[in-house]
Amino acid sequence: MALVWRLVKRIKNKNKFKRKAKRKNIVPTDLNQKIYVAGHRGMVGSAIVRNLVAHGYNNIVTRTHAELDLTNQAQVKVFFQQEKPAQVYLAAAKVGGIYANNTYPAEFIYQNLMMEANVIHQSFEAGVKKLLFLGSSCIYPKLASQPMAENSLLTGELESSNEPYAIAKIAGIKLCESYNRQYGQSHGIDYRSVMPTNLYGPGDNYHPENSHVIPALIRRFHEAKEANAPEVVIWGTGTPKREFLYVDDMAAASVFVMELSKAIYDQQTSPMQSHINVGFGEDVTIAELAKAVGNTVGYSGQINFDSTKPDGSPRKWMDSSRLNRLGWKAKIDLSAGLARAYADFLQHTAEKIT
Ligand SMILES: NC(=O)C1=CN([C@@H]2O[C@H](COP(=O)(O)OP(=O)(O)OC[C@H]3O[C@@H](n4cnc5c(N)ncnc54)[C@H](OP(=O)(O)O)[C@@H]3O)[C@@H](O)[C@H]2O)C=CC1
Ligand SMILES: C[C@H]1O[C@H](OP(=O)(O)OP(=O)(O)OC[C@H]2O[C@@H](n3cnc4c(=O)[nH]c(N)nc43)[C@H](O)[C@@H]2O)[C@@H](O)[C@@H](O)C1=O
């Protein structure tokens, strides 16, 4: 009797999954297929692994940077030939905020170009059919009209503080497109790209200079509160606007895009413009962000601005309507996301750095 009941339950679950797949335009998925997540110890890679595990994927392959240097062509070749994954999420990259991009431009362009070229080419050589490349909103021109749609790529000059990184990210999109165009039909490959807006959340980098603005401000406000400091100084004028997406939303969007059927994905993209924006939908000024972080941390002193520091792009608001039309929307708003990020900072980072 128990066996019959288990069989009925299994059939019901299978049908439920098929209905869900049809509703959400997703391909019925083999949860046992081997998936390589590159950069699984980073903020986004670790969130993608959490999301895949929550979906029931049970054959996730990872390597630390120390075990596999993705800028090393020979190592990457051996890895892919040995593992032969079915899918790849490329979330490994040289990443940093405005100061790091400005200070280490050679590292940003070289390492990112090498990682993308190695992983995408060796994926192809090893027969990987599906790959998701993570780019960035900085691929769009500094003065792109807002919100920035996918078709504003390569229509104007880039922001100088992160141009080398942006060029490498554009190369990543074009690698995916070119392999699809040349080998898509003959080899059945389908390599996709998502362009995230500015991200934040658990596992972020809290380095005082090299980090992005949210982790930098969480740390600075926290340290000011602990020290009873009368003021916190924010870089730049406070007027640039940024759109912030919580990292678990980004991971959910990544898995969602990877699982979309090819027919549906192709409806929203084209062979020469195959990337998809992933944004939250609203942006805020850096001054507004600073107030929000101050409130989250519980800091009640002054907030001042150092306008000798660079502002970067004036605004980078993503047009995420392609992704929204496909059926995905962000869930976690800025105040909820900041609260979660600060809780994670207190739990995992505060003691180590103060
Ligand atoms: N954070 C953000 O605001 C945004 C991020 N993105 C993109 O999302 C992706 C993930 O970013 P995020 O998680 O924030 O970055 P992290 O710096 O948190 O993670 C990057 C990961 O890549 C690994 N890595 C770097 N170089 C190598 C290498 N040579 N070989 C092997 N592994 C390497 C790092 O390992 P290790 O630390 O050991 O070096 C780390 O685990 C990147 O493509 C980034 O460009 C896009 C827009 C915004
Ligand atoms: C994701 C994106 O990240 C980078 O671009 P960015 O959007 O300029 O990122 P940011 O987070 O470093 O800064 C956002 C804004 O915030 C201001 N700001 C204030 N005070 C601090 C501060 O303390 N630290 C930082 N980092 N910024 C600060 C800062 O002046 C700027 O106006 C790219 O290089 C590129 O890597 C990329 O793709």
Side-chain angles (χ1 to χ4, degrees), residues 72 77 87 91 101 162 169 177 187 212 241 244 269 278 283 309:
N72 182 312
K77 182 174 181 164
Q87 292 192 2
N101 270 271
N162 54 35
K169 290 294 186 185
E177 278 175 6
H187 291 68
H212 290 104
K241 294 188 98 175
F244 296 103
T269 57
V278 187
D283 58 0
K309 294 276 196 317

Side-chain angles (χ1 to χ4, degrees), residues 146-335:
Q146 306 285 323
M148 304 181 300
E150 286 85 351
N151 64 8
S152 62
L153 181 63
L154 295 173
T155 57
E157 270 181 39
L158 297 165
E159 153 62 24
S160 59
S161 61
N162 54 35
E163 188 195 66
Y165 172 79
I167 297 272
K169 290 294 186 185
I170 294 170
I173 299 173
K174 296 296 164 190
L175 275 162
C176 291
E177 278 175 6
S178 304
Y179 279 76
N180 287 341
R181 285 171 56 210
Q182 189 169 343
Y183 303 117
Q185 286 212 327
S186 57
H187 291 68
I189 63 162
D190 185 3
Y191 294 176
R192 302 177 181 179
S193 303
V194 281
M195 299 303 118
T197 188
N198 294 43
L199 306 171
Y200 68 102
D204 216 334
N205 167 13
Y206 291 94
H207 189 279
E209 283 92 34
N210 293 339
S211 61
H212 290 104
V213 62
I214 289 189
L217 296 193
I218 286 178
R219 177 175 181 162
R220 203 168 305 144
F221 277 103
H222 175 79
E223 288 176 347
K225 183 176 115 176
E226 296 288 288
N228 272 319
E231 68 158 5
V232 165
V233 178
I234 310 297
W235 297 354
T237 59
T239 57
K241 294 188 98 175
R242 292 290 183 273
E243 180 185 13
F244 296 103
L245 183 70
Y246 190 71
V247 69
D248 286 283
D249 270 341
M250 181 61 217
S254 301
V255 175
F256 175 83
V257 168
M258 186 69 126
E259 287 185 340
L260 285 170
S261 74
K262 180 162 161 45
I264 295 294
Y265 188 81
D266 289 353
Q267 273 175 22
Q268 293 295 325
T269 57
S270 66
M272 296 293 286
Q273 205 191 90
S274 62
H275 57 291
I276 290 201
N277 289 345
V278 187
F280 172 69
E282 289 166 21
D283 58 0
V284 293
T285 64
I286 296 301
E288 287 164 341
L289 173 74
K291 261 194 201 159
V293 175
N295 287 339
T296 305
V297 171
Y299 175 77
S300 50
Q302 284 273 326
I303 299 177
N304 292 320
F305 294 89
D306 176 0
S307 57
T308 64
K309 294 276 196 317
D311 271 341
S313 292
R315 195 175 188 192
K316 290 195 284 180
W317 180 33
M318 296 284 234
D319 178 347
S320 302
S321 54
R322 266 190 187 178
L323 185 59
N324 299 154
R325 278 195 296 276
L326 287 164
W328 189 89
K329 224 174 167 344
K331 290 199 174 104
I332 301 158
D333 69 17
L334 187 61
S335 64

